[in-house]
């Protein structure tokens, strides 16, 4: 049986509002997260992802409130990430209504966090978020891709493919692979990067960064993505979930219509 490729709108939430920019800069307001979540649920989104982009500034209570209100309104799986540093953070988000939790920077700093979360809540709860870019001059990795932090502004020297392999072995249930080179550029997903990770890991892979046309989503599925995630094209009305799914179905991709 072929599993459907999931279409996932991503809401970057800053102080209780959805924002979107290019390469995590020049943020502009894109609306109320609960209203957008309700709209995407009605349009046929398979899941929703919230990324708390202001998490490090101590704005956690706002995030918990948004998660609670969203969970009351929509009935598709909700993944929440941003500023998750401990098993206790995961517990609080799940109690607030999240179905899955995304972990990024804290796992890079202390990889054991991945296994601690998976052991306590199960791998199906844990999405490892990887912000990766092609290596810059003066940096080399075996794969040619490097893990970054701080919205792509800070390189780690960690090979992105090797990190995905290690995290999956530690218990990550899914990997959200975001191309920092493509993020917000409308130039299409980095298919080579997704294919490189897909060839080495068997856990579900979510493609993120750069979607512009409905065909970009089909191309990502063709490169091995189990789910396709996007923000700007949905928030600003360039595409609807329905249009994306119809095109994917026309292209022979199995989707839930």
């Amino acid at each position: 049986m072929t599993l459907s490729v999931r279409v996932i709108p991503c809401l970057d939430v800053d102080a209780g509002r959805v924002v979107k920019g290019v390469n995590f800069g020049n943020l502009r307001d894109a609306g109320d997260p609960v209203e957008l979540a309700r709209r995407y649920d009605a349009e046929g989104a398979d899941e929703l992802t919230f990324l708390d982009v202001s998490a490090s500034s101590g704005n956690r209570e706002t995030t918990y409130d948004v998660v609670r209100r969203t969970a009351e309104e929509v009935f598709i799986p909700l993944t929440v990430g941003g500023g998750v540093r401990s098993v206790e953070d995961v517990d609080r988000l799940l109690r607030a209504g999240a179905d899955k939790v995304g972990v990024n920077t804290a796992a890079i700093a202390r990889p054991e966090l991945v296994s601690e979360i998976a052991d306590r809540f199960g791998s199906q709860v844990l999405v490892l978020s990887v912000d990766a870019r092609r290596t810059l001059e003066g940096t080399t990795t075996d794969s040619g891709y490097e893990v970054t932090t701080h919205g792509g502004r800070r390189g780690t020297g960690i090979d992105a493919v090797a990190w995905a392999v290690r995290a999956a072995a530690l218990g990550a249930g899914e990997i959200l692979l975001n191309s920092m080179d493509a993020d917000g550029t409308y130039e299409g997903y980095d298919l080579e990067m997704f294919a490189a990770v897909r060839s080495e890991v068997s856990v579900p892979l979510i493609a993120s960064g750069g979607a512009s046309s409905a065909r970009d989503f089909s191309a990502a599925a063709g490169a091995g993505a189990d789910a396709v995630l996007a923000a700007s094209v949905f928030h600003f009305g360039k595409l609807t979930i329905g249009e994306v799914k119809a095109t994917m179905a026309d292209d022979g991709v199995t989707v839930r219509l």
Side-chain angles (χ1 to χ4, degrees):
M1 177 182 156
T2 304
L3 292 176
S4 297
V5 175
R6 292 165 286 145
V7 177
I8 307 174
C10 179
L11 289 74
D12 295 329
V13 180
D14 184 2
R17 297 289 292 179
V18 177
V19 296
K20 191 57 195 160
V22 178
N23 304 128
F24 284 69
N26 301 315
L27 298 180
R28 54 178 171 150
D29 188 279
D32 175 70
V34 182
E35 285 179 17
L36 280 172
R38 196 186 298 123
R39 185 180 103 197
Y40 294 140
D41 187 14
E43 282 186 12
D46 297 298
E47 297 183 12
L48 289 168
T49 293
F50 277 7
L51 294 180
D52 181 358
V53 297
S54 58
S56 58
S57 60
N59 227 335
R60 299 305 288 170
E61 284 309 319
T62 302
T63 301
Y64 293 126
D65 178 60
V66 169
V67 172
R68 283 187 204 100
R69 289 190 294 123
T70 303
E72 289 169 3
E73 294 279 343
V74 304
F75 303 99
I76 53 178
L78 175 63
T79 299
V80 183
V84 175
R85 298 180 180 88
S86 66
V87 168
E88 290 70 33
D89 288 341
V90 175
D91 187 57
R92 286 195 69 186
L93 284 168
L94 294 176
R95 289 175 188 275
D99 298 283
K100 296 186 270 192
V101 175
V103 179
N104 187 342
T105 307
I108 295 168
R110 200 171 66 81
E112 311 85 73
L113 178 62
V114 174
S115 50
E116 289 168 8
I117 294 169
D119 288 347
R120 177 153 170 193
F121 303 105
S123 291
Q124 78 284 351
V125 160
L126 179 57
V127 180
L128 180 82
S129 184
V130 180
D131 292 335
R133 68 182 178 202
R134 290 167 188 265
T135 50
L136 302 176
E137 194 172 335
T139 309
T140 55
T141 64
D142 288 344
S143 70
Y145 301 101
E146 176 188 22
V147 176
T148 69
T149 60
H150 300 78
R153 293 185 298 275
R154 193 172 298 178
T156 63
I158 297 169
D159 185 297
V161 176
W163 172 228
V165 171
R166 184 180 182 195
L170 287 169
E174 290 186 88
I175 293 169
L176 168 55
L177 185 60
N178 186 37
S179 167
M180 300 311 299
D181 298 315
D183 181 77
T185 64
Y186 295 121
E187 292 176 359
Y189 293 106
D190 188 334
L191 302 179
E192 290 180 5
M193 183 171 76
F194 300 134
V197 174
R198 173 80 291 160
S199 68
E200 297 294 332
V201 302
S202 58
V203 299
L205 185 61
I206 305 167
S208 171
S212 174
S213 71
R215 287 260 135 74
D216 289 336
F217 293 82
S218 299
D226 300 278
V228 282
L229 178 145
S232 303
V233 289
F234 296 138
H235 300 340
F236 301 120
K238 187 172 183 181
L239 293 170
T240 67
I241 308 287
E243 288 168 350
V244 167
K245 285 192 170 186
T247 298
M248 291 174 74
D250 285 345
D251 290 341
V253 179
T254 302
V255 291
R256 186 177 65 83
L257 296 171

